[in-house]
Amino acid sequence: MRSSLLSRRDLDFLLYEWLEVDKLTTRARFAEHSRETFDDVLDLSEQLATKYFAPHNKRNDAQEPSFDGERVHIIAEVAQAHEALAKAGLIGATLDFEHGGAQLPTTLAQASAAWFSAANIGTAGYGFLTTGNANLLVAHADPAHVRKYVGPMLAGRYFGTMCLSEPQAGSSLGDITTRAQPQQDGTYRLFGTKMWISGGDHEMGENIVHLVLAKIPGGPAGTKGISLFIVPRYLVDEDGARGERNDVALAGINHKMGYRGTVNTLLNFGEGKFTPGGAAGAVGYLVGQEHHGLSYMFHMMNEARIGVGLGAAALGYTGYLKALDYARTRPQGHVKSRPGGGQVPIVEHTDVKRMLLAQKVYAEGALALVLYCARLVDEQRTTEDAEQQARLGLLLDLLTPIAKSWPSQWCLQANSLAIQVHGGYGYTREYDVEQHYRDNRLNPIHEGTHGIQGLDLLGRKVVQREGASLRELDARVRATVAAARAAGVEAATLAAQLDSSWHRLIEVTGALWAGGDPETALANSSVYLETFGHIVLAWIWLEQFLATGTGTDDFHDGKRHAARYFFRHELPKTGPGLELLASLDTTARDMRTDWF
Amino acid sequence: MRSSLLSRRDLDFLLYEWLEVDKLTTRARFAEHSRETFDDVLDLSEQLATKYFAPHNKRNDAQEPSFDGERVHIIAEVAQAHEALAKAGLIGATLDFEHGGAQLPTTLAQASAAWFSAANIGTAGYGFLTTGNANLLVAHADPAHVRKYVGPMLAGRYFGTMCLSEPQAGSSLGDITTRAQPQQDGTYRLFGTKMWISGGDHEMGENIVHLVLAKIPGGPAGTKGISLFIVPRYLVDEDGARGERNDVALAGINHKMGYRGTVNTLLNFGEGKFTPGGAAGAVGYLVGQEHHGLSYMFHMMNEARIGVGLGAAALGYTGYLKALDYARTRPQGHVKSRPGGGQVPIVEHTDVKRMLLAQKVYAEGALALVLYCARLVDEQRTTEDAEQQARLGLLLDLLTPIAKSWPSQWCLQANSLAIQVHGGYGYTREYDVEQHYRDNRLNPIHEGTHGIQGLDLLGRKVVQREGASLRELDARVRATVAAARAAGVEAATLAAQLDSSWHRLIEVTGALWAGGDPETALANSSVYLETFGHIVLAWIWLEQFLATGTGTDDFHDGKRHAARYFFRHELPKTGPGLELLASLDTTARDMRTDWF
């Protein structure tokens, strides 16, 4: 039976026909793998997602985590699902064999993760956070800390979190006030409050490893004085045995619109609740060097941002498949081409086809974009050419805000259309799609809001190293355009359209920065982000169009038709945004606060 | 203190400075009224909404109506609020004095209703349904039935519903199967199941008056064989005393994403639950003539559609004001223009201003559009010129799908932006905006989905009487353009932009129908609806711009700046839609169902 979580056919297309992930097995890092092991990972992910994650997705929403003042209560299926994930070796999917990982390409790990997000993003969240935490430790922490924490995380015994935000600082991390007092023994004692901590407290597993941003007194002001600390919920002895409770106290949990399965907490560090003698602070261990914490955290954050895009894509995808199932089986209304034939399934109505096509281009496009980025990560990690490695890094820098924001915006829209296809049923909790929509609404907010992504793209990424990142993407877009021009009349027509939009975008980018005034350039950074994103997706769709090659079955025909839809219905939407940007519009900037 | 439900300043602007509602008091129907009584209605509505509706909005969501298998349980505040509405005379606000109404202009009644929708749309729903029901009975029912049911509804003792949909028919009313068997005594017995019935069963008040669409056996097929019946939950004696329970049984309730306060039900008519001798049918009384039911129901439906637009606008509006309050008081981040000044309220950030401006143009624009339509209703009702009356009816026909769909689409987007302004807080149930967003997501679905509105607009309204409706709107748009051209340089610039878009829309409309093939014309009816809607709103914004006259205070400055925002950021979005329509695009139509 075809899954209503994701399309394995499409995944195979993206991974093998387009991204040629099997070629990675020629690299030393992935030499132990083969197309067979990759397929096994995909098979297993689908099976585990279907068996352990999907069945309690609704219950994890309806009976969301609760806090009785002492403990967090989470339905038992969550821990069971997490355990299944750990047993399958998927928490450390991309980590080195030596650290207990499966040393898989990131592309495969993301494809695997998509199954779990589609099935139950609330439960899957615990695994993703733990993976991100383990990856950061392996990259930046002291080997002794890696040995102590990473193994138990990969085994599913310890969970991981990331603790950045504070109530008074929000997106502005330079304003955090959590402080870390150095101790004689080289450890630190942390004092402060952290907000929006997913998985911040619960009774699953044996321990929770918090990665906490804090300031060491006397350090530089702003973001340059931020350090990163490991703060475990329970202290761990040298032999790995669980010791005393650390002074990290749960102050409350947030009640969200969706994504309810992942408990979201307010944590107090060092308030004295667990240190009977008074507020002696929460014990913390420095990661890497003092004051370099933000760069380490951004290692995790960039991974998290692509992960947000993947989660949004997966929710959009499963919503699309469920809407499609509904549309194929729900009889309603009549069409002229079947006179006297009675009711037809609603998939026959043109406006329903339009809503399904839109979902198809949003969901498949978003998934393709994220897997493309993951493929770049693998290339970057395994290339032996240092210059090429640097160039891949620049390209990834540029694409990360798109990979985070575009799926978050458009796969939410896909979920809205999935509801619309279901009519009133889609608005009820009896069907899945209303939850996907609520879950997906988080994605434009967390791990850097939509607005922050716009500032990052226009204010930092396109101008970094005098436009070097943009030149990397430019080279790739031009290569695709050239390939398409040689691939037949229709491909050439799409290529011309992309080429025109892309060049206009480059021109407009130059015009925005021509005056050298950041406030003018950034006045419409969100418009820039959205315009840029849609043009990038046109490129991704042209790439997919080309990858269909000479395939003439329904799958390939559908893929090509979806590309046509994107170029006719979606890409032209960027025209007004480009003109608005080119005009250096200051309407929003000129609005006086008293005029509201 | 300024209300965070609606802006009274804006309402006064729309009603008096723009729509000159006070001039209606020169009409005989409204001669008893004055600016003072109008203001009293607005004051009272704000007070009642604030006192009786807003306080339990969250509780009516968190403790939504429940069904224990026998009865529906609804929190007590709902009945209390409904009673307050009835006591204030607002259920029959527009009805004649002779029927116990307040004989207010519809424009005032809608402005009043906006307060209740903004405060608590779930609770307000019971009142709106009852009002719509009473208005239909007065217009079409036998005077004896009017006497029997309308008085108690206006007094808050009886509630009203409308029962159209059935599980197997959905939007396709021609396929309903509920049947009404004529009896010797002139009454009917109804058998069938009705779906999505808001307020369909509960223990509030003394009775519920269902207005039910059903087919009399032997009548014409499809929609031409539909009749309308009064089916009370309890039979009512000639002297108005409540008699036996009628055979209308609650089969279940729907659990919705939002709008939870209005109980939504599945009702079985005539299954025999309340007729001990067996399934003898639910007693029904014919409204008007046999087989004319749909036209009577559309009397209520058109009112309901404008009401949906109003509700969407009110939710968008209160979300905007709450986001504004939050943005003014939340310190976060820094701006270059205040060096060393510490954190600033987020309203100072340009991207936040953009999100607030977008909400302002969506919410204020939607409210203006709905009140404009209501003003047309009043004009139509009181003009003594029969030709003018017919023309107003045509214009209302055309604007109704816009008044329903545009606020439903864009004020949902406004609520999404309100969440975004709040950041993570906006995603939690501790703040109001997440509920507004969930509540508002219903509006593109009920009372005719977005897709149905598109088919109605392009397939019926713009072509009816050889384009007579479109000509009515054309005359109004041209008049506004002419007035703007004479009102100064800036107004003239906006006028030129509107004029250009409007003419292109007229051209494209002609091109769509030039081939005489409905399937081709209607292939992109939703794109047409959205393009048409945005151009209509540009006209509404130009109207508001002109109505600011020479006002130079913050309010008028803000209104003009919002109009600028609409013309620079919103109206240009219609360009790609117009070109797509002009190309007679068949991408969605050409998609084969096997290709998905």
Side-chain angles (χ1 to χ4, degrees), chain A residues 33 89-95 101-105 109 112 131 154:
Chain A
H33 288 291
L90 289 171
I91 290 177
T94 62
L95 282 182
Q103 213 162 303
L104 272 169
S112 160
T131 294
L154 267 46

Side-chain angles (χ1 to χ4, degrees), chain A residues 210-230:
Chain A
H210 303 292
L211 284 172
V212 185
L213 293 182
K215 289 185 169 180
I216 299 169
T223 54
K224 288 175 184 149
I226 296 176
S227 303
L228 180 64
F229 300 89
I230 299 167

Side-chain angles (χ1 to χ4, degrees), chain B residues 463-479:
Chain B
V463 288
Q464 70 187 8
R465 298 209 201 167
E466 290 159 346
S469 285
L470 198 53
R471 282 195 297 280
E472 288 305 315
L473 182 55
D474 182 58
R476 299 224 170 197
V477 172
R478 283 169 189 265

Side-chain angles (χ1 to χ4, degrees), chain A residues 56 59-61 63-68 71-80 82 122-123 126 159 198-205 208 253 260-265:
Chain A
H56 71 282
R59 208 158 88 77
N60 210 13
D61 179 73
Q63 294 170 237
E64 65 185 324
S66 62
F67 177 38
D68 63 10
R71 286 161 191 275
V72 170
H73 300 273
I74 295 178
I75 61 171
E77 293 94 320
V78 177
Q80 291 157 10
H82 188 79
T123 295
Y126 299 97
F159 287 73
S198 288
D201 200 48
H202 53 73
E203 306 298 321
M204 297 188 295
I208 302 173
I253 68 175
R260 296 186 181 185
T262 307
V263 65
N264 189 275
T265 62

